[in-house]
Amino acid sequence: MPRGQNHKLCIREKCHQARYEPQSQKGVQPAAVMEELLSTSSLLEDNLQSSSATGSNSTSQGSSEAPSTTSTFSTTSDTKSDEEDTSQDEEDSGSSDVSSSTENTYSDTLNSMTSLLEQFLLHKYKMKQPIMKENMLKIIHPRYHNRFAEILKRASEHEAVFAVDLKEVDSTTHSYDLVGKLNLPNNGRVWDGRGLPKTGLLMTVLGVVFVKGNCAAEEDIWKFLNMMRVYAGRKHFIYGQPRKLITKDFVTMKYLEYRQVANCDPPRYEFLWGPRAHAETSKMKVLEFLAKVNDTVPSAFSSQYEEALQDEEERARATVPARPGTTRHVPWPRPAASPTPTEDQDF
């Protein structure tokens, strides 16, 4: 592709990227985003066709206007050779810059589409609506439809901070759903009705308890959550009233134990894993979640990683089919109904 055409294409890609960025940063509703993207797609294709035509004309004109040169002396030939070398170096350098800029723009565009798809997935989850592949493709620019699997994988990995997994529930219709890593009521929403997953908060608290030696002071829990901008006395756009969720709801569901520390004045409290947490997850899974949130690997938590490995071995031995006359572990039963506090609904 001629350098001039490459440059124009790069500029148009940057303009297209600028169209995407405000949408992902402002958290626009997916329906509005989809409509904007569809109109942007049409405009971009028109621009690219115009760019292609302009580039072809430039190439044609350049060929017809190429100057004729005559070399009669060796000095002239040497000078021409030097000029060609310099021109070639400049062209190579320019091509490298354009290529690097195009790659960066391409990567930025993929990141923007991943962000839009994340918003779309969470919106569908909150509204309890099916997630269809055909609708997800409307979020992604047609040029990148061949990268759908990669973009979907990246978006689903980002959803890990909510402690939910994207799973295909029907391979015929290509429908998906976000499924919580724990059996919280209403698929992680906790309360009846619509809402966003609360599983991430629970997994975070379980992780802090594990890292703190399987028993964490309440102040340590809030110190960590405050770094996530989750505060005890402030309503959160995902978790509603975090203090109530942690000290009452998760405790009632037996995922956490919340007890007063003996011989403390003023009173102090601490958290431990509840029986349902032990039954539905493991130290390794919680450590993997913490590592994901902190953009690292489980082995980075060296002492906890060793403990988690030992826990995995013990669990493996416990799941070996029981022989006659021995007892087997029975998972904690799933609750028949979920709590319905009206103050925290629709989160």
Side-chain angles (χ1 to χ4, degrees):
M1 181 182 292
R3 181 180 174 186
Q5 184 176 347
N6 232 338
H7 181 63
K8 291 178 181 178
L9 176 60
C10 180
I11 292 176
R12 285 183 169 82
E13 288 281 5
K14 288 182 177 179
C15 292
H16 179 58
Q17 170 66 13
R19 287 179 175 271
Y20 275 101
E21 287 296 339
Q23 301 288 356
S24 60
Q25 292 174 0
K26 294 179 182 178
V28 181
Q29 290 297 329
V33 171
M34 230 186 301
E35 184 177 349
E36 173 66 16
L37 286 180
L38 290 174
S39 62
T40 303
S41 301
S42 175
L43 178 62
L44 180 63
E45 292 302 324
D46 291 341
N47 286 341
L48 291 177
Q49 290 175 6
S50 174
S51 173
S52 178
T54 303
S56 300
N57 291 337
S58 299
T59 303
S60 175
Q61 291 174 3
S63 300
S64 62
E65 296 175 3
S68 59
T69 57
T70 305
S71 301
T72 54
F73 300 102
S74 62
T75 53
T76 305
S77 178
D78 292 342
T79 302
K80 178 181 177 183
S81 178
D82 292 341
E83 290 176 350
E84 287 177 346
D85 290 344
T86 302
S87 176
Q88 182 64 40
D89 290 342
E90 290 177 352
E91 184 175 346
D92 291 343
S93 176
S95 298
S96 177
D97 291 342
V98 170
S99 177
S100 176
S101 178
T102 302
E103 288 177 3
N104 291 337
T105 302
Y106 179 77
S107 177
D108 291 342
T109 303
L110 282 182
N111 290 337
S112 296
M113 291 183 185
T114 299
S115 179
L116 287 170
L117 191 54
E118 288 176 49
Q119 295 179 44
F120 176 78
L121 293 175
L122 285 176
H123 175 75
K124 289 293 186 180
Y125 177 96
K126 180 178 180 179
M127 303 305 293
K128 286 189 166 184
Q129 296 175 348
I131 302 171
M132 308 299 294
K133 180 179 179 180
E134 60 180 345
N135 293 330
M136 288 190 280
L137 286 173
K138 294 176 183 177
I139 292 291
I140 301 172
H141 188 280
R143 171 183 291 180
Y144 297 90
H145 279 185
N146 63 330
R147 307 297 295 272
F148 171 75
E150 176 188 350
I151 296 172
L152 182 61
K153 182 176 182 295
R154 292 169 63 172
S156 63
E157 287 176 348
H158 290 177
E159 302 295 359
V161 298
F162 293 98
V164 293
D165 296 320
L166 182 67
K167 295 184 178 181
E168 187 175 29
V169 295
D170 191 332
S171 58
T172 303
T173 60
H174 297 292
S175 61
Y176 298 78
D177 194 12
L178 291 172
V179 181
K181 292 181 179 293
L182 295 170
N183 293 329
L184 287 174
N186 199 14
N187 192 22
R189 299 174 183 87
V190 176
W191 306 296
D192 289 336
R194 299 170 178 172
L196 291 171
K198 313 297 187 294
T199 321
L201 181 62
L202 175 56
M203 291 288 281
T204 299
V205 175
L206 293 175
V208 176
V209 170
F210 177 35
V211 170
K212 287 294 182 179
N214 300 306
C215 181
E218 183 174 11
E219 52 266 32
D220 288 333
I221 296 291
W222 289 112
K223 182 178 180 180
F224 187 88
L225 293 180
N226 288 350
M227 291 190 292
M228 298 169 54
R229 298 185 180 180
V230 177
Y231 304 97
R234 188 181 302 176
K235 200 169 189 177
H236 192 270
F237 76 104
I238 294 176
Y239 307 129
Q241 300 293 346
R243 180 174 177 78
K244 177 182 179 298
L245 191 58
I246 294 172
T247 62
K248 293 184 179 179
D249 295 327
F250 291 158
V251 173
T252 301
M253 298 174 201
K254 306 297 184 182
Y255 283 106
L256 292 174
E257 288 186 16
Y258 181 61
R259 68 187 186 188
Q260 186 173 348
V261 180
N263 304 319
C264 284
D265 188 19
R268 294 176 61 246
Y269 294 85
E270 60 189 7
F271 286 93
L272 298 87
W273 282 30
R276 286 191 67 186
H278 284 288
E280 295 180 15
T281 189
S282 67
K283 293 179 179 180
M284 183 60 76
K285 290 179 180 178
V286 169
L287 199 60
E288 289 171 349
F289 171 79
L290 275 186
K292 186 71 176 180
V293 171
N294 290 279
D295 195 24
T296 184
V297 293
S299 57
F301 304 87
S302 55
S303 60
Q304 287 80 18
Y305 185 68
E306 292 298 324
E307 183 178 345
L309 285 175
Q310 184 178 350
D311 180 64
E312 290 293 296
E313 293 175 359
E314 293 174 356
R315 286 172 175 269
R317 288 195 296 268
T319 56
V320 173
R323 285 180 296 217
T326 61
T327 58
R328 297 182 62 180
H329 172 75
V330 179
W332 192 273
R334 188 166 185 169
S338 58
T340 56
T342 55
E343 62 178 347
D344 291 308
Q345 286 185 349
D346 292 329
F347 284 94

